Amino acid sequence: MIEIDTLIVGSHVVTMNPTRDVIRHGAVAVRGNEIVDVGKQSDLEAIYAPKQTVGSDRFVVTPGMVNTHIHITGEPLTRGYVPDDTPFEENVFMWLCPLYSVFTAEEERLSAQLAAVEMLKSGTTTFLEAGTIRFLDDVIDGLVEVGIRGRVGNWVWDLPPEPDVYKQNTDAAIDMLQQQLVDHASVADGRLGTWSILVGHTTASDPLWKAARELADEHGTGMSFHMSPAKLDPEAFVAEFGHRPMIHLAELGILRDDVAITHCVQVDDQELAIMAEAGVSVAHCPTTALKVSYGVTQIGKMPEMVKAGVNVSIGTDGNNASNYSDLMRATYLVAGLFKDARQDPQMFPAEMAYEMATLGGAKTMRMQDTIGSLEVGKRADIVLHDTDRPEWRPLLNVANQLVWSADGRGVHTVFVDGVKVVEAGQMTTIDEGTFYDRCQRAGEAITARSGLPDKAKWPVL
């Protein structure tokens, strides 16, 4: 018998391997942080002597999901404070930026932990942060403790509006970007690290765009930024450069297959062709698009992007534009939005939506060789869904039910890098007993300190 650390068993093992095999009465063998075998439970039990066996026929076993756009600071502790009936510009510059600006380092650390806990407990094991962290050292320290996998970045821009805490000249912005790539290249055995991430939109000068590109090349990281959720970005680029954002970024040499662009709702056919040729990935944030009324169902080209070969993955974004970090809920929307918008039920079937949330996310993060599926040699990022719940019974079509029936509430156990970080729905790495009370008190203190009004429409007596 071959000794391993853990044998994970389930009624269905959803491998997401190249042939998308779902193994009935399956198992995954884990040694250290690596998957060493996947197959029938009976076959693996005849080969391996595990130190522990986790799961039973009650569970569906899947790869961890990959959230390719989330703000882990600023918004988890101010969730829902911004009214949901504010225009885009007011939403960002009159509400979000002032809220972000009053955070302390300790609050950012707590905020990042809250986001990570919500992701892990709903089956997301890896994330790409939006590049809006101010206290990077503290945030990374908090993430190490929680045990999630991710790539993060400082708030970097050189064409800032107010407030003052974000102001950077071009040299300072480049220095900050370079320093984060040096100081945090690989943390916790590579589980955490930094990318060349800009806020994007219209907040970067051409020299900063070029420097971010060069730093991504120099350090071998990906590059990420926001672009064109609303008309503001294309209108501003046309006014300044005479053409739309993707054309300008292509001319600067920014767009390559290591680039992850968030939103991309307001792109035209010429931009789409440029994106496909460059091989960029798009992080589609469906809840934000709905809540901030980007027009994704009317003009969004996500189906055309996929058809053209663009890798489209899924993000949950910030907790004021998208109040949750449960990627299963966002995947549900991805599977449904364009079915209705195009009156075509063949748009984004459940299997495709789930691929976008796992394999698509792994590709966006340039981790397709290490995460996104349950295959030999990949990292042991594994989720067990409890099917002894009403939304899971009867279980007749696992892909359909992962996307259309279930959500993160059914996540029972989660492994990241071979370490059990969630067990029976509870975090194993931090004490949840006092955690949520700390989050509540911090959120109340931040919103009070911001000076922003409480716009809740119902009286709280």
Side-chain angles (χ1 to χ4, degrees):
M1 300 287 279
I2 302 171
E3 293 187 354
I4 58 172
D5 293 303
T6 307
L7 188 68
I8 299 171
V9 302
S11 64
H12 298 71
V13 172
V14 180
T15 65
M16 301 307 291
N17 67 10
T19 50
R20 307 292 187 264
D21 296 332
V22 176
I23 305 172
R24 286 295 307 271
H25 307 296
V28 182
V30 175
R31 182 185 297 114
N33 63 2
E34 184 178 327
I35 295 171
V36 295
D37 210 342
V38 182
K40 288 285 187 183
Q41 179 180 347
S42 57
D43 293 340
L44 268 58
E45 285 176 338
I47 300 171
Y48 297 104
K51 294 176 183 173
Q52 65 172 343
T53 298
V54 176
S56 70
D57 253 6
R58 173 179 156 193
F59 299 99
V60 166
V61 180
T62 69
M65 303 176 88
V66 183
N67 186 340
T68 54
H69 187 78
I70 178 172
H71 294 254
I72 62 171
T73 58
E75 297 184 60
L77 290 181
T78 62
R79 185 192 311 260
Y81 195 71
V82 178
D84 70 350
D85 54 359
T86 54
F88 172 73
E89 197 166 359
E90 178 185 342
N91 181 285
V92 172
F93 296 111
M94 294 180 65
W95 286 91
L96 296 183
C97 288
L99 282 172
Y100 276 68
S101 71
V102 298
F103 270 67
T104 66
E106 182 180 359
E107 288 164 345
E108 277 211 347
R109 185 183 190 278
L110 184 64
S111 175
Q113 290 192 318
L114 178 59
V117 166
E118 187 177 358
M119 283 191 278
L120 289 170
K121 292 184 69 167
S122 56
T124 293
T125 52
T126 302
F127 71 95
L128 176 58
E129 201 274 332
T132 47
I133 296 170
R134 289 177 54 216
F135 302 100
L136 193 60
D137 292 350
D138 300 88
V139 165
I140 289 179
D141 182 64
L143 294 173
V144 169
E145 182 183 5
V146 172
I148 200 166
R149 185 187 305 282
R151 296 292 179 265
V152 296
N154 265 312
W155 191 300
V156 175
W157 66 10
D158 65 342
L159 299 176
E162 301 298 332
D164 288 343
V165 292
Y166 304 133
K167 280 190 175 178
Q168 303 159 23
N169 61 38
T170 304
D171 289 341
I174 294 171
D175 287 346
M176 181 181 291
L177 199 53
Q178 183 170 31
Q179 200 62 49
Q180 76 177 25
L181 291 168
V182 171
D183 292 347
H184 305 292
S186 178
V187 180
D189 194 26
R191 188 161 48 76
L192 297 164
T194 43
W195 262 30
S196 183
I197 304 176
L198 299 179
V199 173
H201 298 302
T202 56
T203 68
S205 67
D206 285 355
L208 179 54
W209 280 115
K210 291 178 181 177
R213 174 71 269 169
E214 291 169 3
L215 286 169
D217 294 341
E218 179 184 343
H219 293 272
T221 75
M223 188 175 173
S224 173
F225 49 88
H226 304 75
M227 192 58 72
S228 300
K231 294 179 180 177
L232 204 62
D233 290 344
E235 288 177 350
F237 274 75
V238 168
E240 182 161 0
F241 304 110
H243 47 227
R244 296 173 67 91
M246 299 306 169
I247 299 171
H248 187 68
L249 294 176
E251 288 181 353
L252 291 180
I254 305 300
L255 303 184
R256 298 184 197 161
D257 64 1
D258 59 357
V259 168
I261 314 177
T262 298
H263 299 310
C264 299
V265 176
Q266 303 276 344
V267 297
D268 67 12
D269 290 341
Q270 184 183 7
E271 290 182 291
L272 195 157
I274 289 170
M275 294 161 65
E277 183 177 359
V280 304
S281 292
V282 169
H284 173 30
C285 301
T287 312
T288 300
L290 291 178
K291 191 176 176 187
V292 192
S293 60
Y294 290 156
V296 68
T297 57
Q298 298 180 34
I299 61 169
K301 297 181 183 296
M302 282 67 191
E304 287 75 16
M305 290 177 190
V306 171
K307 187 176 181 181
V310 174
N311 175 49
V312 179
S313 53
I314 308 173
T316 58
D317 209 351
N319 290 141
N320 278 294
S322 169
N323 291 52
Y324 59 84
S325 303
D326 178 350
L327 202 67
M328 295 184 73
R329 290 180 63 186
T331 305
Y332 168 97
L333 283 180
V334 169
L337 284 179
F338 288 97
K339 281 183 174 61
D340 182 73
R342 308 289 176 88
Q343 298 182 59
D344 181 354
Q346 295 187 341
M347 286 283 171
F348 295 130
E351 292 82 356
M352 180 183 290
Y354 201 70
E355 288 173 359
M356 293 162 71
T358 51
L359 297 165
K363 184 176 181 181
T364 296
M365 296 193 65
R366 307 177 76 225
M367 295 182 181
Q368 60 266 42
D369 294 333
T370 55
I371 62 170
S373 64
L374 303 180
E375 296 180 87
V376 174
K378 288 203 169 182
R379 295 297 177 95
D381 292 2
I382 303 171
V383 178
L384 283 78
H385 302 259
D386 186 352
T387 62
D388 276 356
R389 296 176 55 85
E391 70 270 20
W392 269 104
R393 296 294 185 177
L395 173 51
L396 304 173
N397 179 330
V398 70
N400 221 317
Q401 288 177 241
L402 273 168
V403 173
W404 286 105
S405 306
D407 58 31
R409 292 172 299 173
V411 169
H412 183 279
T413 298
V414 178
F415 289 82
V416 177
D417 230 24
V419 176
K420 190 189 297 178
V421 294
V422 178
E423 182 173 28
Q426 294 296 306
M427 295 296 302
T428 65
T429 52
I430 66 166
D431 176 13
E432 291 184 76
T434 59
F435 181 68
Y436 302 112
D437 180 60
R438 290 170 56 209
C439 293
Q440 180 67 34
R441 285 187 282 111
E444 291 174 1
I446 291 163
T447 51
R449 204 185 311 138
S450 74
L452 291 166
D454 180 353
K455 288 283 191 178
K457 294 179 178 60
W458 291 346
V460 178
L461 304 178

